[in-house]
Amino acid sequence: MSLVTLKEILKKTIIEKYAVGAFNIVNHTMVEGILSAVEDKGVPVILNVAEAHLGIMDLDNFIPYLLDRIRRSSVPIVLNFDHGTNYKTIIEAIDRGFSSVMFDGSTLPFEENVFQTKKIVRMAHSVEVSVEAELGHVGGLEECSNYGQKRDNVFTEPEEAIAFVRQTGIDALAVSIGTVHGVYRGVPCLNYELLKKIRQMVDIPLVLHGGSGLSVDDYQKLVAVGINKINFFTGMSLAAVESVSVELKENVNAGFPEINLVAQKRIKEIVLEHLKIFGTKPI
């Protein structure tokens, strides 16, 4: 099936009520662990490369490997540029072969977010690349008790979501309903009623950022109410690091091949667990 767009991979998710996992990658180990899992299950996946991680990646070598690996895969795969904030960087991602880009204008005033997003949609759609954008702001590391009180526009407003989707023509909308990036300091405060309202009013796939740290019950409720794409990175990374740490304690002479296989195996296990929870189906 190889490389597909975000629009294509999410087209059945609303009606059939399941979510596709979007797993961030920074190296070959993560790619192979993730793809081994989805290929075993025969389900689609989204591989995220975040703008914030570009400084630790050798894109000139990594992207050609990645595109070749995707072409040889037996499942549909989206290569998504995650949390792009710079127009030039997003253009470069498209030029490199990404099939989807996410523009994050969530900290901008509404009208400016619309303006910048429309510009990216116009350009991306002209070369058949999908666009995800964010309305409301998914922060990081806030505690449940104070999340949503620091800014007036932290959470996604349903009425604004309708206008934003209509005016921009995006293919997927990332919403803010109480999740945060990174590790939670407390218990997540998820606003299911807000999500339900947005789902009833918006007819395109909805995206959840800040997927790490949620319970199985949280995930299942979110998917049932209307989430169609779930971003997951921190939990997977921490699990892989822990597995490597255990291996090194048990085998002080372990070299890179052994460590790489341990990390890859753990990543595969984590992805398999989440594919089941998300209810991901073949397309």
Side-chain angles (χ1 to χ4, degrees):
M1 294 289 290
S2 70
L3 188 67
V4 298
T5 65
L6 188 68
K7 184 176 182 179
E8 183 177 355
I9 214 171
L10 297 180
K11 62 184 177 182
K12 295 182 180 179
T13 57
I14 298 177
I15 294 176
E16 297 189 12
K17 292 190 175 181
Y18 68 90
V20 178
F23 302 96
N24 284 68
I25 53 174
V26 296
N27 56 39
H28 297 65
T29 301
M30 302 183 85
V31 174
E32 296 301 335
I34 294 165
L35 294 191
S36 178
V38 295
E39 288 168 346
D40 280 0
K41 291 298 181 181
V43 297
V45 73
I46 299 157
L47 298 179
N48 281 341
V49 174
E51 183 179 274
H53 292 154
L54 295 184
I56 62 172
M57 303 170 71
D58 179 4
L59 293 182
D60 289 337
N61 288 307
F62 186 62
I63 298 302
Y65 144 76
L66 191 52
L67 290 171
D68 178 66
R69 181 65 179 85
I70 291 172
R71 292 188 192 100
R72 292 186 285 110
S73 180
S74 58
V75 299
I77 301 170
V78 173
L79 181 56
N80 180 55
F81 189 66
D82 190 34
H83 283 288
T85 59
N86 183 287
Y87 185 81
K88 180 181 178 182
T89 309
I90 291 173
I91 295 291
E92 290 175 352
I94 293 174
D95 288 342
R96 286 183 180 273
F98 283 70
S99 61
S100 171
V101 295
M102 185 252 179
F103 170 65
D104 185 357
S106 61
T107 60
L108 301 173
F110 179 81
E111 294 301 332
E112 182 64 17
N113 193 359
V114 168
F115 176 78
Q116 295 295 338
T117 302
K118 281 177 65 175
K119 183 169 66 171
I120 290 167
V121 168
R122 189 181 308 115
M123 177 273 302
H125 282 184
S126 71
V127 290
E128 300 183 347
V129 169
S130 295
V131 179
E132 172 191 335
E134 184 172 325
L135 186 65
H137 182 61
V138 179
L141 304 179
E142 292 89 345
E143 293 185 25
C144 175
S145 59
N146 65 19
Y147 188 70
Q149 298 178 10
K150 295 181 180 180
R151 292 170 59 91
D152 293 333
N153 66 338
V154 164
F155 295 105
T156 305
E157 294 291 339
E159 292 76 15
E160 284 193 345
I162 296 174
F164 189 79
V165 170
R166 184 183 301 124
Q167 292 178 42
T168 61
I170 56 174
D171 302 293
L173 176 66
V175 295
S176 175
I177 56 163
T179 56
V180 299
H181 291 114
V183 180
Y184 286 91
R185 290 180 178 172
V187 178
C189 288
L190 304 178
N191 192 329
Y192 295 106
E193 287 303 312
L194 175 59
L195 175 60
K196 186 176 181 179
K197 289 179 182 178
I198 297 170
R199 174 73 288 162
Q200 291 171 341
M201 300 169 78
V202 173
D203 62 358
I204 63 172
L206 299 179
V207 181
L208 184 82
H209 287 251
S212 296
L214 302 181
S215 69
V216 173
D217 186 55
D218 289 332
Y219 283 127
Q220 292 176 338
K221 285 183 180 179
L222 289 166
V223 174
V225 175
I227 289 295
N228 311 111
K229 170 179 177 275
I230 299 176
N231 283 31
F232 188 83
F233 173 65
T234 302
M236 179 177 66
S237 300
L238 292 176
V241 169
E242 182 180 5
S243 68
V244 169
S245 178
V246 171
E247 175 67 18
L248 288 173
K249 287 179 181 178
E250 295 178 352
N251 182 9
V252 295
N253 295 317
F256 175 77
E258 292 87 356
I259 293 172
N260 180 64
L261 287 175
V262 167
Q264 186 173 312
K265 179 182 178 182
R266 185 61 181 134
I267 288 169
K268 180 177 181 178
E269 291 171 349
I270 293 293
V271 172
L272 286 172
E273 291 172 7
H274 285 77
L275 292 175
K276 183 177 181 180
I277 297 168
F278 300 165
T280 309
K281 301 178 182 179
I283 63 171

